[in-house]
């Protein structure tokens, strides 16, 4: 089935002029080196997908305490900056643009997975009732340590420093990860945030940390180089944001406040509440990126036609099809991804998925 013509219309996003409406969604691949520098295949992995135009990287920790999984990259040391520069140079050489996603996992962590072996941190000392892979096997996520107000301010400063480091590495911008059950979502969620100070309780207080992080990053590198990702109502990482009306109240307030910053984009991991998506679209003044759960190839472009999105990031399809843009243009079949290679390992399932041209040579 031929793709919708609207997918191939150009779009202006922040400082970028994009030639189409597709992008690479952030996907954890767990192939970084032990010191948090990007692994040996990272530059090739992202370069292969540069035709997507806007590439949003895997979650990248803004500090040592921001790491939760094994072999995830960071962007806060000189060595990490140099490692990411190889990636940005490779993407730019192919005409793509790269936003580094800043992801602090908060309580979704385990001491075995980090170099410092410290307890995870969170808005409150509440375990997520989820499990995590470690070098010694699958374990429960332990109870985190509650951040003090001073430590919250220090974490905001960590995001600011990481954003500056991303730009020093040649990135075109950063995406603040406020979705999918990680630290910023934990502050938003009443079942993870039991604080009674200015960072807990009310809708306004629970949103405060997210807004402070976004404002600090935008102040450091420019609002037009700053995006932010949210996932209203999704339950990843043991998150429960309450009944639908509470989710609406929380995210309508948050997005209205973030809109005042005039960021480059809002990235919504959409769980299917189209009424809320319409409200957020009306509140948001710049580009809206939407990843819709369960979206089919035939439905790709529907949200743009409906006025609910401007850019459509692609996840697993792009993981297994480095030339996904070409495949969509010519209506070619997709290669199916191998889930056993999603996290960790080497080149297999990472940089060895063939393009149409390579597959034809192999035949």
């Amino acid at each position: 089935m031929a793709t919708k013509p609207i997918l191939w219309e150009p779009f202006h996003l922040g400082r970028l002029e994009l030639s189409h409406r597709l992008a690479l969604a952030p996907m954890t691949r767990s192939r970084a080196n032990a010191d948090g520098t990007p692994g040996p295949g990272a530059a090739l992995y992202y370069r292969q997908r540069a035709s997507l135009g806007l590439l949003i990287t895997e979650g990248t920790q803004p500090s040592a305490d921001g790491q939760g999984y094994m072999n995830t990259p960071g962007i806060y040391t000189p060595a990490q900056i140099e490692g990411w520069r190889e990636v940005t140079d490779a993407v730019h050489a192919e005409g793509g643009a790269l936003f580094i996603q800043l992801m602090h996992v908060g309580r979704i962590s385990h001491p075995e997975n980090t170099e410092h072996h410290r307890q995870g941190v969170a808005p409150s000392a509440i375990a997520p009732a989820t499990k995590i892979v470690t070098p010694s096997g699958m374990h429960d996520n332990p109870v985190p340590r509650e951040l003090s107000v001073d430590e919250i301010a220090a974490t905001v400063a960590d995001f600011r420093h990481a954003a500056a480091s991303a730009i020093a590495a040649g990135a075109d911008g950063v995406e603040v990860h406020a979705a999918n059950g990680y630290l910023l979502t934990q502050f938003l969620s009443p079942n993870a945030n039991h604080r009674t100070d200015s960072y807990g309780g009310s809708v306004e207080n629970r949103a405060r940390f997210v807004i402070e992080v976004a404002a600090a990053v935008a102040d450091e590198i420019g609002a037009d180089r700053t995006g932010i990702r949210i996932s209203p109502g999704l339950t990843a990482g043991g998150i429960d944001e309450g009944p639908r009306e509470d989710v609406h109240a929380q995210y309508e307030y948050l997005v209205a406040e973030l809109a005042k910053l005039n960021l480059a984009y809002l990235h919504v991991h959409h769980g299917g509440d189209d009424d809320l998506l319409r409200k957020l679209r009306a509140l948001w003044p710049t580009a809206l990126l939407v990843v819709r759960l369960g979206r089919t190839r035939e439905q790709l472009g529907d949200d743009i036609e409906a006025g609910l999105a401007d850019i459509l990031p692609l996840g697993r399809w792009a993981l297994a099809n480095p030339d996904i843009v070409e495949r969509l243009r010519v209506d070619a079949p997709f290669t199916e991804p191998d889930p056993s290679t999603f996290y960790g390992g080497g080149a297999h399932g990472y940089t060895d998925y063939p393009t149409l041209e390579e597959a034809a040579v192999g035949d």
Side-chain angles (χ1 to χ4, degrees):
M1 179 180 178
T3 57
K4 295 176 171 62
I6 200 167
L7 289 178
W8 311 118
E9 294 181 358
F11 189 80
H12 177 82
L13 182 148
R15 303 185 184 189
L16 304 178
E17 295 294 339
L18 303 175
S19 62
H20 54 68
R21 302 301 190 94
L22 302 173
L24 178 67
M27 291 177 284
T28 295
R29 303 309 311 272
S30 297
R31 285 170 166 85
N33 298 315
D35 64 352
T37 55
L44 175 58
Y45 171 76
Y46 286 107
R47 179 180 67 79
Q48 288 174 333
R49 290 153 182 82
S51 63
L52 279 160
L54 171 63
L55 310 185
I56 307 169
T57 74
E58 61 212 276
T60 304
Q61 53 258 17
S63 65
D65 282 337
Q67 182 178 3
Y69 302 112
M70 293 185 290
N71 303 116
T72 52
I75 184 64
Y76 56 93
T77 71
Q80 292 163 359
I81 291 171
E82 288 305 309
W84 276 110
R85 184 171 289 117
E86 293 182 18
V87 178
T88 61
D89 285 349
V91 170
H92 291 156
E94 297 295 330
L98 192 86
F99 271 49
I100 294 178
Q101 188 192 66
L102 304 182
M103 181 178 81
H104 192 306
V105 300
R107 67 183 190 174
I108 308 299
S109 64
H110 197 284
E112 287 188 21
N113 290 349
T114 64
E115 288 191 295
H116 57 55
H117 305 303
R118 290 194 291 265
Q119 184 182 17
V121 297
S124 300
I126 302 170
T130 55
K131 293 184 179 293
I132 191 168
V133 176
T134 76
S136 64
M138 187 76 77
H139 294 292
D140 291 332
N141 286 106
V143 175
R145 181 177 61 80
E146 180 174 312
L147 289 164
S148 69
V149 171
D150 286 345
E151 288 172 325
I152 290 173
T155 304
V156 173
D158 287 339
F159 274 90
R160 179 188 285 270
H161 172 70
S165 298
I167 298 305
D172 299 277
V174 304
E175 176 177 284
V176 175
H177 197 358
N180 302 105
Y182 299 118
L183 182 64
L184 277 68
T185 325
Q186 292 158 29
F187 271 87
L188 293 171
S189 179
N191 84 318
N193 181 352
H194 288 186
R195 301 179 73 97
T196 58
D197 60 10
S198 60
Y199 289 94
S202 67
V203 163
E204 294 79 9
N205 283 356
R206 291 200 308 271
R208 189 181 310 277
F209 176 61
V210 179
I211 296 165
E212 288 179 351
V213 169
V217 169
D219 178 67
E220 183 67 31
I221 65 172
D224 57 356
R225 293 198 288 197
T226 304
I228 188 165
R229 189 183 214 215
I230 60 173
S231 56
L234 298 189
T235 58
I239 291 297
D240 182 355
E241 295 179 315
R244 183 172 179 268
E245 57 268 25
D246 291 355
V247 175
H248 279 232
Q250 182 67 72
Y251 282 93
E252 287 178 57
Y253 172 79
L254 174 66
V255 170
E257 291 300 303
L258 291 172
K260 297 174 183 178
L261 301 175
N262 203 38
L263 305 180
Y265 67 79
L266 174 68
H267 183 180
V268 179
H269 191 175
H270 182 50
D273 187 341
D274 281 354
D275 181 42
L276 178 57
L277 184 60
R278 281 188 288 270
K279 291 177 179 178
L280 301 185
R281 169 75 281 183
L283 289 167
W284 192 252
T286 64
L288 187 64
L289 283 60
V290 175
V291 172
R292 179 181 287 272
L293 295 176
R295 177 180 57 193
T296 67
R297 180 170 177 168
E298 291 71 30
Q299 292 168 330
L300 196 60
D302 286 357
D303 283 331
I304 300 176
E305 291 182 337
L308 296 177
D310 299 305
I311 300 290
L312 306 176
L314 304 180
R316 293 186 179 195
W317 291 342
L319 182 155
N321 299 274
D323 59 343
I324 182 89
V325 172
E326 177 65 14
R327 288 175 188 257
L328 286 168
R329 284 190 187 275
V330 302
D331 198 25
F334 290 167
T335 300
E336 289 297 316
D338 177 3
S340 70
T341 64
F342 283 175
Y343 308 112
H348 180 54
Y350 186 47
T351 56
D352 65 346
Y353 282 107
T355 63
L356 286 171
E357 182 178 355
E358 290 165 344
V361 171
D363 292 342

